[in-house]
Amino acid sequence: EPEVTQTPSHQVTQMGQEVILRCVPISNHLYFYWYRQILGQKVEFLVSFYNNEISEKSEIFDDQFSVERPDGSNFTLKIRSTKLEDSAMYFCASSEAPRGGETQYFGPGTRLLVL
Amino acid sequence: AQKITQTQPGMFVQEKEAVTLDCTYDTSDPSYGLFWYKQPSSGEMIFLIYQGSYDQQNATEGRYSLNFQKARKSANLVISASQLGDSAMYFCAMREGPPGGGNKLTFGTGTQLKVEL
């Protein structure tokens, strides 16, 4: 069964460093999303992406964040200068094209720890 | 106001019993979707079940069913015949707007379910 994959599974970085989190969405899906979950808290929406551009972003998704679809399979989230409060689990998700199913399928997550 | 409210931070159920996890939602949009996800201790988010606002019947997927009461704005998850592997955090989520638009999900705070022998 197709699934969303994410790399790395864990990342430890120093405050101020740049990190890139990678995702490979399900191959026939056209909508992509990033969410994050701070430890013990609920899942929060960051950004959605369709047709090579951002469709919606939350207040959390400030200038330090960017997303990219560098090729036909990968979808990345970059944090330019990490802060302590960026420590969280980051989930990538994808869903099908408009006439298909709308369920968002999540990847296993990348656990980011900023020291 | 919270868009998704899950009032049970923790629930216990005996193996083989049924359990209901509560979820209420708040939206003024006539078209919306409600989802339940399971998050085991390993951390991944597993989709369980979906209910659209215009669906006439309650959704069912195997041992999972969704008790959708539109007038009460509730979408409770019922797990029948609980198994030890059902022990996990369960999140209710909502998409506002018509399906197929790639709209974001808004999540509740979750319910930690523990299945006991």
Side-chain angles (χ1 to χ4, degrees), chain B residues 34-98:
Chain B
L34 297 156
F35 301 79
W36 278 91
Y37 287 86
K38 172 184 178 182
Q39 187 177 42
S41 57
S42 49
E44 70 267 34
M45 294 285 286
I46 303 167
F47 165 71
L48 295 177
I49 196 166
Y50 163 76
Q51 179 87 42
S53 59
Y54 293 116
D55 293 344
Q56 295 294 319
Q57 298 200 343
N58 287 344
T60 60
E61 287 284 350
R63 293 187 298 112
Y64 304 109
S65 59
L66 203 151
N67 183 0
F68 181 47
Q69 298 190 42
K70 199 169 180 177
R72 293 186 175 185
K73 292 191 172 178
S74 75
N76 299 339
L77 177 70
V78 181
I79 306 174
S80 62
S82 297
Q83 301 170 357
L84 294 177
D86 294 335
S87 294
M89 182 72 94
Y90 288 80
F91 289 99
C92 180
M94 177 172 65
R95 175 220 78 233
E96 293 177 275

Side-chain angles (χ1 to χ4, degrees), chain A residues 31 33 35 37 91 102 104, chain B residues 37 39 43 50 95 103 105:
Chain A
Y31 287 99
Y33 314 82
Y35 292 83
Q37 184 183 31
F91 291 105
E102 62 148 340
Q104 293 181 27
Chain B
Y37 287 86
Q39 187 177 42
Y50 163 76
R95 175 220 78 233
N103 294 347
L105 296 179

